[in-house]
Amino acid sequence: MGKIFLVAICMMLTCSQLCGCDSTSKEKAGSVGGKMIEPAMIITKEDAKALTGVSFGECTVKEEPRVGLKLCVYEKDEAFLQVSLTQIAFMNKESREAGNTPVSIFKAIKSAFPDAAKIDGIGDDNFLVPTGLYILKGQYSIYVSFGLMAKDKEKLQAAGIKAVANLSKYSAQ
């Protein structure tokens, strides 16, 4: 029963992150808080192939500027890889004025999983949920997933390491 409750909470959090996502945002946030980084830059389709063995096409991009979220989904047949990046540079003015940041959003999600496992050496902080891996790196929050209930910790670790390395490369420019 506890696992069902945890999965339900995790799905609810993931859905709440995606609610209202639209590939055409009504208000662009501008370049507040640093350079705008696309999630397809931190896990490219070449990276996705190396991680999954599947030759994906371009990812489907969705956006939610209320929380500074850009989402990239690679899908082909049964294969799936999702990477999302929450960044202050994409957050709309109202959210920034309300004090929302990628760090505060990461901490709020993490508080829903107080016993979540961590993978050492990835980002400044991270935690595993049944659907994937959340990572905090500086003022950016990353989420990687291979699909609902994908529990391959080594694959998530490899994806997390790749995402953080590429994020570090682009955020330092």
Side-chain angles (χ1 to χ4, degrees), residues 3-14:
K3 284 185 180 184
I4 293 171
F5 179 73
L6 182 59
V7 169
I9 288 175
C10 193
M11 287 182 1
M12 183 178 66
L13 286 171
T14 301

Side-chain angles (χ1 to χ4, degrees), residues 7-84:
V7 169
I9 288 175
C10 193
M11 287 182 1
M12 183 178 66
L13 286 171
T14 301
C15 287
S16 68
Q17 252 192 340
L18 297 176
C19 283
C21 284
D22 188 337
S23 61
T24 57
S25 62
K26 294 179 181 160
E27 176 186 349
K28 296 292 182 191
S31 60
V32 174
K35 180 181 177 188
M36 182 80 70
I37 299 172
E38 297 295 328
M41 295 164 67
I42 63 172
I43 296 195
T44 65
K45 68 180 178 178
E46 291 79 17
D47 296 331
K49 180 179 181 180
L51 291 164
T52 64
V54 176
S55 294
F56 293 103
E58 296 301 319
C59 68
T60 302
V61 177
K62 298 183 186 251
E63 303 175 343
E64 183 48 66
R66 288 179 292 179
V67 293
L69 175 75
K70 287 193 168 233
L71 174 74
C72 172
V73 179
Y74 296 100
E75 284 184 284
K76 185 174 182 181
D77 301 323
E78 297 296 313
F80 176 87
L81 173 58
Q82 172 185 317
V83 58
S84 69

